[in-house]
């Protein structure tokens, strides 16, 4: 009897009209265009997630394959199995014996830090000059700076080499980072757009309070551009860490090799025309890629904030 009473109460509640005169069954159905729009948004969201997931798999798969190959013996490197049939740690032991990998990583870290810090500071100084100061010919001069981005690297490669050779720096690490002391046109443009979005009254108030031009830049403007500076720093870290061209041009001895130049020497020695020790090459590639992944993982929030805020303030 009690069960029948509860069922009857539930049925009566289900058919009771709501405030808008519709019963519960009718209210559960999406109404008209608004309901169809909601369904379309949900379908679009699902399709976007599926597309992003597929793209993520496409981009991640090569690195997953590389990591998997580094745990395989030489005969199984190219068998395309993501889970090694024969799992071995010997490659990670042998690679340190076959190549001065620690020295290459140290050289690359030194060059990367010096290049990233110098180009970030120098580009910020030039960008601040174009954004804050008003002088005749500023637009023309800024246009010339941007025009340098249109010059192919091959055009300036030989003159730059002759300069460093005259200075006696060929065979050393200096040419790989010292050029960044003069800034980068792309980073100057990026930081200038950010500086232009900052309130100028803030800097004028600091000048009235007695701050010098350098003080306004170093103590006020630079801290406010933290996200954009992080973007420049991380972009340059990635560019220098993977730079092979300049290392091929200027480095002669294996004791000065950076990671890309060292990997090139491993390919020459153990890859094409060598002894075909591809397990050594893929293992060295994994080891040298991990630091860059860690940097991007730690700085991903800064990168997103910097790109987003720079785009809005541009």
């Amino acid at each position: 009897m009690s069960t029948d009473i509860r069922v009857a109460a539930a049925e009566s509640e289900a058919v009771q009209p709501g405030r808008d005169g519709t019963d519960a069954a009718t209210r559960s159905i999406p109404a008209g265009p608004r309901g169809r729009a909601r369904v379309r948004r949900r379908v679009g969201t699902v399709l976007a997630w599926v597309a992003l997931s597929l793209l993520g798999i496409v981009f991640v798969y090569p690195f997953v394959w590389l990591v998997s190959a580094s745990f395989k013996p030489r005969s199984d490197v190219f068998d395309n199995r993501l889970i090694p049939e024969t799992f071995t740690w010997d490659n990670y032991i042998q690679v340190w014996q076959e190549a001065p990998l620690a020295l290459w990583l140290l050289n690359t870290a030194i060059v990367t830090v010096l290049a990233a810090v110098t180009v970030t500071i120098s580009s910020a100084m030039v960008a601040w000059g174009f954004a804050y100061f008003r002088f005749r010919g500023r637009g023309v001069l800024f246009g010339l700076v941007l025009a340098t981005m249109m010059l192919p690297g091959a055009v300036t490669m030989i003159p730059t080499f002759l300069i460093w050779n005259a200075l006696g720096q060929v065979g050393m690490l200096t040419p790989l980072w010292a050029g960044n002391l003069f800034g980068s046109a792309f980073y100057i443009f990026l930081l200038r757009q950010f500086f232009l979005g900052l309130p100028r009254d803030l800097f004028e108030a600091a000048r009235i309070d007695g701050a010098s031009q350098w003080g306004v830049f170093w103590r006020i403007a630079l801290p406010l551009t933290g996200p954009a500076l992080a973007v420049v720093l991380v972009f340059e870290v990635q560019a220098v860490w993977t730079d092979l061209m300049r290392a091929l041009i200027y480095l002669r001895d294996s004791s000065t090799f950076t990671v890309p130049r060292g990997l090139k020497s491993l390919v020459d020695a153990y890859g094409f025309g060598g002894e075909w020790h591809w397990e050594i090459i893929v293992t060295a590639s994994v080891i040298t890629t991990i630091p860059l992944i860690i940097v991007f993982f730690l700085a991903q929030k800064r990168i997103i904030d910097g790109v987003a805020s720079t785009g809005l303030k541009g």
Side-chain angles (χ1 to χ4, degrees):
M1 179 66 69
S2 60
T3 304
D4 296 337
I5 294 175
R6 287 197 297 268
V7 171
E11 292 177 350
S12 61
E13 182 179 356
V15 299
Q16 285 180 356
R19 294 181 179 179
D20 56 355
T22 60
D23 55 32
T26 305
R27 293 197 304 272
S28 63
I29 301 175
R34 183 179 300 177
R36 289 194 295 270
R38 188 181 302 112
V39 171
R40 284 196 297 268
R41 284 196 299 269
R42 291 177 179 175
V43 172
T45 302
V46 172
L47 292 177
W49 276 103
V50 171
L52 291 175
S53 300
L54 293 176
L55 288 174
I57 293 173
V58 170
F59 283 105
V60 172
Y61 176 80
F63 182 72
V64 175
W65 181 93
L66 189 71
V67 174
S68 175
S70 67
F71 292 105
K72 299 176 182 178
R74 186 189 314 174
S75 59
D76 297 340
V77 169
F78 294 104
D79 62 4
N80 288 327
R81 292 190 184 96
L82 294 183
I83 299 177
E85 185 177 7
T86 303
F87 190 91
T88 178
W89 287 93
D90 294 341
N91 297 335
Y92 284 90
I93 299 175
Q94 187 179 358
V95 69
W96 298 98
Q97 300 171 351
E98 297 292 337
L101 198 58
L103 181 60
W104 295 348
L105 289 170
L106 178 61
N107 292 338
T108 308
I110 293 173
V111 172
T112 300
V113 170
L114 291 174
V117 172
T118 52
V119 79
T120 301
I121 296 177
S122 59
S123 298
M125 294 174 63
V126 177
W128 171 252
F130 281 120
Y132 180 75
F133 295 104
R134 302 288 190 264
F135 55 90
R136 182 174 299 177
R138 184 183 65 163
V140 175
L141 187 59
F142 184 66
L144 292 175
V145 172
L146 295 183
T148 60
M149 292 192 297
M150 303 179 186
L151 291 175
V155 174
T156 59
M157 188 181 299
I158 295 178
T160 304
F161 175 82
L162 295 176
I163 293 173
W164 289 118
N165 187 49
L167 295 175
Q169 297 299 311
V170 174
M172 303 181 68
L173 297 175
T174 306
L176 275 64
W177 67 269
N180 287 355
L181 289 169
F182 305 99
S184 167
F186 174 72
Y187 297 148
I188 291 172
F189 169 77
L190 184 70
L191 293 173
R192 175 183 175 271
Q193 297 304 106
F194 197 96
F195 282 131
L196 289 175
L198 299 177
R200 188 178 181 85
D201 294 341
L202 181 64
F203 308 128
E204 298 297 340
R207 290 287 295 155
I208 294 174
D209 289 340
S212 62
Q213 296 287 3
W214 176 256
V216 172
F217 167 72
W218 188 258
R219 297 181 180 179
I220 300 177
L222 211 58
L224 292 176
T225 59
L229 294 176
V231 171
V232 172
L233 196 69
V234 174
F235 280 7
E236 188 63 18
V237 166
Q238 186 273 336
V240 177
W241 191 272
T242 59
D243 183 19
L244 175 60
M245 182 61 68
R246 283 186 293 183
L248 284 172
I249 294 173
Y250 294 105
L251 301 182
R252 301 287 184 267
D253 188 75
S254 62
S255 61
T256 61
F257 281 179
T258 57
V259 162
R261 183 66 181 89
L263 292 178
K264 177 64 169 59
S265 67
L266 288 180
V267 172
D268 295 338
Y270 300 115
F272 296 107
E275 300 177 5
W276 303 97
H277 289 288
W278 287 106
E279 76 280 4
I280 301 298
I281 298 173
V282 297
T283 304
S285 300
V286 171
I287 294 174
T288 55
T289 304
I290 289 175
L292 205 59
I293 294 176
I294 294 174
V295 170
F296 273 91
F297 178 78
L298 296 177
Q300 59 180 337
K301 186 177 184 301
R302 284 282 189 173
I303 295 174
I304 295 173
D305 293 343
V307 172
S309 58
T310 303
L312 291 175
K313 293 175 182 298

